[in-house]
Amino acid sequence: MDVAVSGLVRRFGEFVAVNQVSFQIPSGRCLALLGPSGCGKTTTLNIVAGFLHPDEGDVHVNKRSVLGIAPHKRNTGIVFQNYALFPHMTVFDNVAYGLRQRKTPNDVIAKEVPRALELVQLENLGHRFPRELSGGQQQRVALARAVVFKPDILLLDEPLSNLDAKLRETMRLELKSIQRTTGVTTIFVTHDQAEAMVLADEIAVMNAGVVEQIAEPEIIYNRPATRFVADFVGSANFLRGEIVERETGYAQIKLDFADQTVRAASPEIGAPTGRCEFMIRPERINLSLAPTDAENELEATITNLAFTGSLVDCYCAVGDQSLHVQVISSRHALSTGQKIWISWDAREAFVLRDAP
Amino acid sequence: MSQRRIGLLLVLPAVAVFLLLFIAPLIYGAWLSLHEARFGRILPGLTLRQYEVLFTNPTYTDALARTFRLSGTATVLALLLGYPLAYALAFKLKRMGGIITIIILAPLLMNVVVRTLGWVIILGRSGLINNVSVNLGFGEFILLYTETAVLIGYVQVFLPFMVLSILASLQTMDLNLIKASSSLGATPATTFWKVLFPLSLPGVLSGSIIVFSLSSGVFVLPAMLGGTNLRVLSLLAYQQTTTTLNFPLGAAAAFLLLTIVLLVVLITTFLVERTRFREVFRRASA
Ligand SMILES: Nc1ncnc2c1ncn2[C@@H]1O[C@H](COP(=O)(O)OP(=O)(O)OP(=O)(O)O)[C@@H](O)[C@H]1O
Ligand SMILES: [Mg+2]
């Protein structure tokens, strides 16, 4: 089932919680809605599930609008942030619930439910009540309950947010393999960028009700469209300047903070001319103790160093611009106040769509 | 002073009041019910004579049966009327909730005699209902001094307890459970019977217990709406202690009433908690 959402708008009173949200998910693919708290992720999900009616826009499943269809007729599997397991039913009955609503014969239920529980590695806990399970186990029951009846669409609302870091990582991979094996079209809400990167085929980054960018994880990371996306996904240095010349895919930028011109990748269309801002990831900056012939080289002074084990976070200043550079720890004996030369490959710097 | 001693000091007044005003009269009443009295004087020597009267004298056996017939029916009626009301307040009429709650609570703010007198006026021979009925040609239609009249009075007074109790359990319900049920394909009716209603059972149970025990203990209301022929146990106990001055019989009647109510409450709770819904109650008490 492919899902297409177009021009969704949802207001609560004056407040616009979801503003012109559009995306398409090809059948069997997984889209992550990524964004900070309150940006409208759950609201979007509730609209797709049919619990909320949009003020504008439409939701299509297999090219047919589903807005007029009641939630219980939509065949959507949902995992809620708090799992929402029925506390008065056993794990088995929770998982069987969706099948029973579909008038599945008992002998089929007796086969399907254990299979779903096996999928989430809980085959022996069918007789337990939700209260008797750990958070991770409850989450897996919720997942089994949502996939056992072969839904057309799977909606996951921050399903891993209540788990500890270790379990979260395991569940992440488990979720991914379940999504792949069941081949169900999935929308996955999270505010954890690593989660989105691992699980999703595409990520839609949301901010204040608006989708800022939709793209594959690598593109979101390497070619963020806006400052918000660059900042929300990973860490980034933001540098400002004036575009003095453009070539295909690149721009020559005269820096504000140094009397120097550098090159940065720039989207073909919609890139700003004149004033611009570009970003570069800390680990994509090269550091050397002496000047080299590299392009985009700047002389800098180390202002702060933080050893994190395998990596060193090096903060340095070029004029009044401070930069965050990440290097592998054993290579350099660095010290604060030291002069260094930093440079980057023009492909690694990227001009943002929103001009300063 | 240690935290513990401060804690003890703080509960002391309440405990003292409780012992003095509740437990002491209870023990005294139980002791009193095991005596006989003549002309208002308690005779020495223990006896089960009063309980014998209660279980053999038709006046008392009738009153006993009537008491529990009335409170049982009132409980069921309050549940049938109160559940939809609580449901609407919790999910459908959130905006008007304040006003409706005030309307529901209004009967409790009124003096019991005044309120009951209102029903006397409405239900009586020259009352509103009879007048309308006669004028419309339906003939005489007098409800006053029937069990129906008493029931109407009970339901009006005790409905708020039922509604508030069910409302509390509905309002604390996780709405995602309803969404989950619906996303799994359950119709709204199935969602109600499989999820919402079972999870509201603690509220239903406590509301029923409150209505049942309160309605089996009132006597002003049944006296005014039921008249002299429809006496309930609490009214007899009241009359024995204030008019006839047969304190032991009054005490025995009161004690019997208390025992039966307690038994009913305990047995109901026990039975409900043994069903497959026991999980609901564990969660409610956790
Ligand atoms: N029923 C409602 N009435 C009024 N405002 C609402 C309602 N539901 C959501 N909002 C507002 O809409 C905005 C988006 O809410 P939403 O729940 O979609 O956020 P979210 O992205 O899921 O955030 P989180 O990560 O914290 O779950 C929030 O600012 C919220 O306050
Ligand atoms: Mg949310």
Side-chain angles (χ1 to χ4, degrees), chain A residues 46 51 71-72 76 78 80 82 84-89 97-98 101-102 129 131-132 145-146 149, chain B residues 174 176-177 179-188 190 194-195 198-199 276 278-280 282-283:
Chain A
N46 275 328
F51 296 129
H72 69 272
T76 311
I78 305 182
F80 292 87
N82 63 354
L85 297 178
F86 305 124
H88 57 304
M89 297 181 196
Y97 194 89
Q101 305 314 316
R102 284 159 180 79
F129 283 96
R131 190 177 48 85
E132 302 163 334
R145 185 179 69 172
F149 59 91
Chain B
D174 176 9
N176 278 349
L177 292 176
K179 286 187 183 173
S181 169
S182 152
S183 78
L184 292 167
T187 61
T190 310
K194 294 273 176 171
V195 178
L199 291 176
R276 62 209 175 83
R278 67 183 189 283
E279 229 14 66
V280 179
R282 280 214 205 139
R283 205 178 64 114

Side-chain angles (χ1 to χ4, degrees), chain A residues 12 15 17 35-44 81 157-158 189 191:
Chain A
F12 293 110
F15 179 76
S37 189
C39 71
K41 306 182 295 291
T42 300
T43 308
T44 308
Q81 185 165 356
D157 193 352
E158 309 210 20
V189 162
H191 54 236

Side-chain angles (χ1 to χ4, degrees), chain A residues 209-229:
Chain A
V210 176
V211 173
E212 300 245 338
Q213 186 177 14
I214 305 183
E216 290 155 32
E218 286 80 15
I219 295 185
I220 293 280
Y221 189 76
N222 292 325
R223 295 276 183 269
T226 63
R227 183 183 172 120
F228 176 84
V229 175

Side-chain angles (χ1 to χ4, degrees), chain A residues 276-339:
Chain A
C276 82
E277 184 168 42
F278 64 98
M279 74 100 214
I280 180 152
R281 300 285 179 195
E283 77 279 9
R284 305 289 168 84
I285 299 179
N286 307 313
L287 187 155
S288 58
L289 302 177
T292 61
D293 275 346
E295 66 167 347
N296 308 323
E297 190 168 60
L298 302 170
E299 190 182 331
T301 313
I302 297 178
T303 54
N304 221 331
L305 286 166
F307 291 88
T308 61
S310 56
L311 298 171
V312 181
D313 283 312
C314 171
Y315 299 90
C316 56
V318 180
D320 55 4
Q321 171 76 42
S322 92
L323 280 139
H324 176 198
V325 183
Q326 211 167 42
V327 290
I328 293 172
S329 60
S330 62
R331 293 261 185 84
H332 305 277
L334 300 170
S335 59
T336 319
Q338 191 180 350
K339 268 212 168 350

Side-chain angles (χ1 to χ4, degrees), chain A residues 239-273:
Chain A
L239 308 177
R240 290 182 177 188
E242 189 100 21
I243 294 181
V244 290
E245 203 188 321
R246 306 202 52 140
E247 38 191 298
T248 342
Y250 292 94
Q252 291 276 358
I253 300 158
K254 190 189 164 305
L255 294 175
D256 283 357
F257 56 89
D259 190 17
Q260 209 166 334
T261 302
V262 295
R263 237 157 59 93
S266 161
E268 303 289 324
I269 310 157
T273 49

